[in-house]
Amino acid sequence: MSMQSGSVIQEKVAKLLSRQNGRPVLRPIKPLALKNEVANRRLRKGEATCVTEMSLLMACWKQNDFNNTVCSNEVSTFYACVEKTQMQNKAKGKQGGQGRLLPKEATNLLKRYPNLDSEI
């Protein structure tokens, strides 16, 4: 079923792009060339980690009037989770930063090697 729907979509796109009526139906609004700079956006932080351990710790504190000695097991579990997460993040950092360039690095490369001024 999905193969048929994929081919139907491809046929519709081909029909829209064809020059049967003299000119293409789809026209680009902007030129089809990359700019020589990248928007300076911040990378998203990853999802929160150790949330369940933290919630268990806070529940224990609430039940025991914020007494750390009673909740020492939950505290140690939370800190162990935090250490484990930090070690994983350091290992990811050594691998090359998720294979992405920072926006400033990409802009510097695009300025060093600019694109052609015209469309292909």
Side-chain angles (χ1 to χ4, degrees), residues 18-24:
S18 70
R19 290 184 163 255
Q20 290 176 353
N21 298 335
R23 60 185 175 119

Side-chain angles (χ1 to χ4, degrees), residues 14-117:
K15 184 178 178 182
L16 288 173
L17 292 174
S18 70
R19 290 184 163 255
Q20 290 176 353
N21 298 335
R23 60 185 175 119
V25 177
L26 298 177
R27 288 179 296 175
I29 297 171
K30 295 180 180 180
L32 299 177
L34 292 176
K35 293 183 179 180
N36 289 329
E37 61 184 32
V38 176
N40 195 11
R41 296 182 181 161
R42 293 184 180 178
L43 296 175
R44 292 183 183 175
K45 300 285 183 181
E47 63 181 51
T49 56
C50 304
V51 175
T52 55
E53 289 83 357
M54 185 173 26
S55 62
L56 289 173
L57 174 62
M58 290 185 176
C60 180
W61 278 343
K62 188 174 183 179
Q63 289 175 352
N64 297 309
D65 295 326
F66 299 95
N67 189 353
N68 249 355
T69 56
V70 178
C71 300
S72 62
N73 188 23
E74 283 82 359
V75 171
S76 63
T77 304
F78 175 68
Y79 281 132
C81 179
V82 169
E83 281 185 32
K84 179 179 157 190
T85 304
Q86 287 176 346
M87 294 299 278
Q88 288 175 348
N89 288 344
K90 284 183 183 177
K92 282 184 183 178
K94 289 181 181 177
Q95 291 177 351
Q98 301 174 347
R100 290 185 163 203
L101 291 174
L102 295 173
K104 285 184 179 180
E105 294 172 339
T107 299
N108 287 338
L109 285 173
L110 286 170
K111 285 184 179 178
R112 188 180 301 167
Y113 305 105
N115 292 311
L116 300 174
D117 292 335

